Amino acid sequence: MHGNVDVVRAERTPRPRSFANTAEWNAIRQSLTEGERRAGFSALLKDLESHISSGGITDFASLEKGQGYTAWAKGSLSIKRQVDGAKRIAQGLAFAAMVTGDIRYVEAARRHLRALAALDPQGATGVKSEDLSARHVAWTLALGLDWLYPYLSVDERRVFVRAISVRMEGFAESLVRGSRPLEQKPLDSHGNEVLGALAEISVLLAGETELANRWMNEFIPAYTRLLSPFGGADGGYANGTAYAVWDLHDYSMRHWDTLKRSMGIDLTDKPWVRNIGRFFVYFIPPGTPDGNFGDAAESAMPGTWALTAHAYADRVTDPLYSWYASQWFQQDVKTLELLVAPLRSPAPASFPEGTPNAAFFADIGATAMHSDLRDRGRTSVYFRSSPYGAVSHAHADQNSFSMNIGGRRILIDSGYYDYFGSPHHYGWTKRTIAHNAITFDGGQGQDDPKRPWGEETSKGKILGFSTSAESDWVVGDATAAYRGAVSSARRGLVFIRPGTVVVFDHLSAAQPRQWEWNIHALNRFEVEGDGQLKVTEVDVRACIDFYANADTGFNQMNRFSAEPERSNSLTRPNQWHAQFKVRQPQVGFRSIAVIDTDCRSKGRHSVRFSGDRSVLVLGERVLTFDGDVIRLENKGIQ
């Protein structure tokens, strides 16, 4: 597990080590005080004024799982939020002190750092109790040590190092030295979120404790090898867009800076790092009303998306990323992720010609298809059939899709992420029935009631993808995800620009099933005829024509099987859940759904289910699905 890290180089690197290149640091400091980052730094100083005389965080009562999971989970979330806030204040004060030398910031930073150091490392902010809070505390103290080194007494340094060391040893025992190290079970969200900080902390503490030498050889090689086990070289992120941006901007990019500046380790040369920007461009396009797939995908986070776009473009140079960042206007310019970033020469922010409107991320099994990527009023369709299954923050949603029109959510992944493992999260959000996917026999799907947290084995697979100027198609196989309950579960989806979607489904089982075709929206579906629906969201609408090889009934409701946590600030309104359900159980099931934005081609279409093929005549086009591929032809050349 140990690597061959240049410990001597770290020990000899002058402080501040997170800005080890003196010329670069001088340029950044000038930008903060006189240049383009002056407005952001001034905003930070103004924001810190109210904290100069405050005393910092106080310790917490211990978290006990014996109180019950719900109480423990809510307590953990509360502690994490408080520690995260204290982290940001302490880091901001220490950074202001380092840049300005103002004694007011120096003394305030020392006070806040001492308060963090006084938190019990074996208590509520310890590794075993709340690992993300333990990471926040250790990393902030290490940065404080690095940035304020000349201002700290010998005793203060010892106190900080001791508080850091207990937590670092706890992380080493759980992630590196234990019986199941992280590299043997890499799909651990928290383990991966903390690993970058541990690598950086080990560098910042080199020479302060002999333990740092061992940490460097444990955490730096592990971090550079793993980096992100939730995606491959093409840049995808299997845990969904919310965790992609959270993991990147607060748990990754600043660690990359320090490792590059102090150790010459440039992680932006890694293929995944260079390509995750494409994942953001296609799955969180400018103007999107929500994210995609996984926990918290329902949340609109324009500030976080903007911050991530700008901070990432500062570190990974690419014309597409420069354009993408220029389309986000809500970034908080006073955040350290932007203020400490490498300085870049101004880059053109025009949309690169020839950029396709659709993308397929093979490693995570997801596609994004847009009418026009550069148009904020675009129609967007997203599809997932992933080899990562439902592990971690992913859901049991293989072969599911969602659809946005004109910046509105129209066909949604339903449910909320109130907190991990909540009755609603396990009882609805992570389940197949919460998604635009297939269930049977009263809501049975890919989820296992005995293991509601999700399984990596509930896999999907994308069998084919094609994109052209006029249309895109994708075929997914979710058979394995149903854990033997079905013999075959194939879905083909076609997106015809500017706004027509066709969904083919071919399913079979060894015994008759009462198949259920699920669709979700924010508002009630209007029934306009047999198999005909319309759904509206503010100023956009879509019409759905549904066909099947069996008699189906339609029902809809606006209830969840388990209600989410609600508050005055988080109302989490009910959503609408519709279903076409086969009236009589049968072994095989075929269906075709035509979804038309703005109801342009509303009406019955010519449909045929024959042999192993499903055929749709749509205007002058003939679409055929055989379970493996989709063929689009003009009627005249059949």
Side-chain angles (χ1 to χ4, degrees):
M1 178 71 69
H2 288 204
N4 186 22
V5 178
D6 191 348
V7 176
V8 174
R9 174 173 177 168
E11 292 176 346
R12 291 178 177 175
T13 300
R15 297 191 182 277
R17 286 180 189 159
S18 51
F19 299 96
N21 185 316
T22 302
E24 182 187 22
W25 170 231
N26 289 339
I28 290 175
R29 190 198 299 248
Q30 183 179 20
S31 179
L32 293 166
T33 56
E34 303 173 13
E36 63 183 31
R37 296 183 184 175
R38 181 178 179 180
F41 186 59
S42 297
L44 173 65
L45 297 183
K46 183 178 179 180
D47 193 54
L48 291 172
E49 282 298 316
S50 62
H51 302 293
I52 287 179
S53 59
S54 63
I57 198 167
T58 56
D59 210 348
F60 303 91
S62 295
L63 278 168
E64 297 291 343
K65 285 193 177 181
Q67 300 169 351
Y69 177 79
T70 297
W72 177 86
K74 290 182 178 180
S76 175
L77 186 60
S78 175
I79 289 172
K80 182 165 57 182
R81 286 172 175 167
Q82 293 178 67
V83 173
D84 183 68
K87 171 202 77 175
R88 294 187 181 279
I89 294 166
Q91 289 188 16
L93 289 166
F95 185 68
M98 179 175 60
V99 174
T100 67
D102 188 324
I103 194 63
R104 297 185 309 141
Y105 298 123
V106 171
E107 292 306 314
R110 290 171 67 189
R111 188 166 57 253
H112 281 262
L113 290 167
R114 287 196 298 266
L116 284 172
L119 298 175
D120 182 0
Q122 302 289 5
T125 59
V127 172
K128 292 182 179 179
S129 295
E130 220 302 293
D131 53 358
L132 296 186
S133 294
R135 175 260 188 193
H136 294 337
V137 172
W139 182 43
T140 301
L141 290 174
L143 288 173
L145 183 74
D146 188 48
W147 293 351
L148 298 182
Y149 202 85
Y151 303 104
L152 300 175
S153 69
V154 173
D155 284 342
E156 279 179 314
R157 293 174 194 165
R158 287 173 179 164
V159 168
F160 291 0
V161 170
R162 185 164 55 247
I164 295 167
S165 297
V166 175
R167 292 177 172 87
M168 289 290 281
E169 282 292 283
F171 280 122
E173 292 297 332
S174 65
L175 300 179
V176 179
R177 304 172 196 160
S179 59
R180 293 188 64 198
L182 183 62
E183 289 199 68
Q184 291 183 13
K185 51 177 183 107
L187 299 182
D188 174 348
S189 177
H190 284 203
N192 283 281
E193 284 176 329
V194 303
L195 194 55
L198 305 181
E200 181 181 2
I201 292 167
S202 68
V203 173
L204 298 181
L205 262 66
E208 302 300 319
T209 170
E210 292 183 359
L211 292 170
N213 297 359
R214 185 176 184 184
W215 299 335
M216 288 181 68
N217 280 290
E218 290 174 324
F219 293 128
I220 293 177
Y223 183 52
T224 57
R225 283 195 295 266
L226 281 178
L227 199 55
S228 177
F230 291 102
D234 61 8
Y237 195 87
N239 260 1
T241 55
Y243 273 84
V245 295
W246 290 336
D247 286 3
L248 203 71
H249 83 75
D250 197 29
Y251 292 94
S252 297
M253 287 189 280
R254 287 170 60 192
H255 307 321
W256 302 345
D257 295 341
T258 295
L259 291 175
K260 181 177 180 179
R261 289 164 175 163
S262 62
M263 300 296 292
I265 300 170
D266 189 357
L267 293 176
T268 64
D269 283 339
K270 293 273 191 176
W272 177 80
V273 173
R274 299 207 64 82
N275 289 324
I276 192 174
R278 288 185 64 252
F279 179 73
F280 294 146
V281 169
Y282 283 95
F283 282 88
I284 321 173
T288 185
D290 60 0
N292 278 286
F293 304 116
D295 289 340
E298 77 279 1
S299 303
M301 303 187 290
T304 302
W305 295 334
L307 168 60
T308 305
H310 284 268
Y312 179 79
D314 281 343
R315 292 165 172 87
V316 180
T317 304
D318 186 282
L320 182 61
Y321 306 155
S322 297
W323 167 80
Y324 182 65
S326 75
Q327 301 301 301
W328 289 103
F329 321 113
Q330 304 93 334
Q331 75 273 19
D332 184 351
V333 295
K334 65 179 180 292
T335 58
L336 290 183
E337 285 79 10
L338 296 176
L339 297 180
V340 307
L343 292 171
R344 299 290 190 193
S345 300
S350 57
F351 186 79
E353 291 298 324
T355 300
N357 288 312
F360 168 39
F361 290 81
D363 290 331
I364 63 167
T367 64
M369 297 161 277
H370 306 282
S371 57
D372 186 343
L373 184 58
R374 79 188 89 186
D375 179 8
R376 302 176 82 86
R378 70 184 75 79
T379 294
S380 302
V381 184
Y382 306 95
F383 182 88
R384 180 177 190 264
S385 197
S386 176
Y388 281 83
V391 72
S392 190
H393 293 286
H395 298 167
D397 59 355
Q398 313 309 331
N399 279 7
S400 72
F401 71 97
S402 62
M403 184 176 182
N404 297 330
I405 304 173
R408 308 287 188 190
R409 302 175 70 198
I410 197 75
L411 297 176
I412 67 170
D413 271 349
S414 71
Y416 299 97
Y417 183 43
D418 44 8
Y419 62 90
F420 193 92
S422 76
H424 176 73
H425 182 236
Y426 277 0
W428 182 264
T429 306
K430 280 182 74 76
R431 296 179 58 204
T432 309
I433 198 171
H435 304 277
N436 302 319
I438 301 294
T439 56
F440 56 88
D441 296 348
Q444 295 183 51
Q446 303 160 15
D447 47 285
D448 182 352
K450 296 179 181 178
R451 304 177 70 83
W453 49 87
E455 286 291 298
E456 185 185 353
T457 55
S458 297
K459 296 178 182 293
K461 177 168 56 176
I462 289 184
L463 303 179
F465 170 76
S466 175
T467 183
S468 68
E470 294 77 23
S471 63
D472 311 314
W473 63 258
V474 60
V475 174
D477 182 358
T479 306
Y482 290 93
R483 298 173 290 109
V486 305
S487 306
S488 179
R490 300 284 182 91
R491 169 169 279 182
L493 185 146
V494 185
F495 179 45
I496 302 171
R497 294 181 177 84
T500 300
V501 175
V502 179
V503 182
F504 294 93
D505 280 293
H506 284 193
L507 295 112
S508 63
Q511 63 188 72
R513 299 289 189 190
Q514 200 161 17
W515 304 99
E516 299 151 353
W517 196 90
N518 298 283
I519 198 88
H520 305 267
L522 298 176
N523 299 309
R524 185 182 182 92
F525 291 89
E526 300 175 47
V527 179
E528 300 202 320
D530 185 22
Q532 293 183 311
L533 307 175
K534 182 170 74 174
V535 60
T536 303
E537 170 60 10
V538 188
D539 54 353
V540 302
R541 61 182 181 170
C543 285
I544 303 168
D545 290 307
F546 181 79
Y547 312 88
N549 67 342
D551 186 25
T552 60
F554 176 77
N555 63 81
Q556 63 178 315
M557 66 177 185
N558 67 340
R559 302 181 307 279
F560 298 108
S561 57
E563 294 298 311
E565 292 275 326
R566 292 183 168 105
S567 65
N568 290 334
S569 59
L570 294 171
T571 57
R572 297 187 172 116
N574 285 336
Q575 301 163 340
W576 283 88
H577 319 293
Q579 190 178 81
F580 287 100
K581 185 173 184 176
V582 173
R583 295 187 189 277
Q584 296 297 325
Q586 57 186 55
V587 170
F589 176 67
R590 305 278 181 86
S591 68
I592 301 174
V594 181
I595 305 167
D596 193 26
T597 64
D598 206 31
C599 303
R600 290 185 183 88
S601 64
K602 175 184 172 183
R604 309 305 288 172
H605 304 89
S606 176
V607 167
R608 184 172 75 255
F609 300 103
S610 175
D612 63 352
R613 300 190 306 161
S614 297
V615 181
L616 168 71
V617 178
L618 185 67
E620 295 300 313
R621 293 185 177 92
V622 178
L623 287 71
T624 304
F625 179 54
D626 64 5
D628 293 312
V629 298
I630 295 172
R631 293 180 175 83
L632 286 78
E633 301 169 304
N634 292 326
K635 282 198 293 187
I637 62 171
Q638 268 203 306

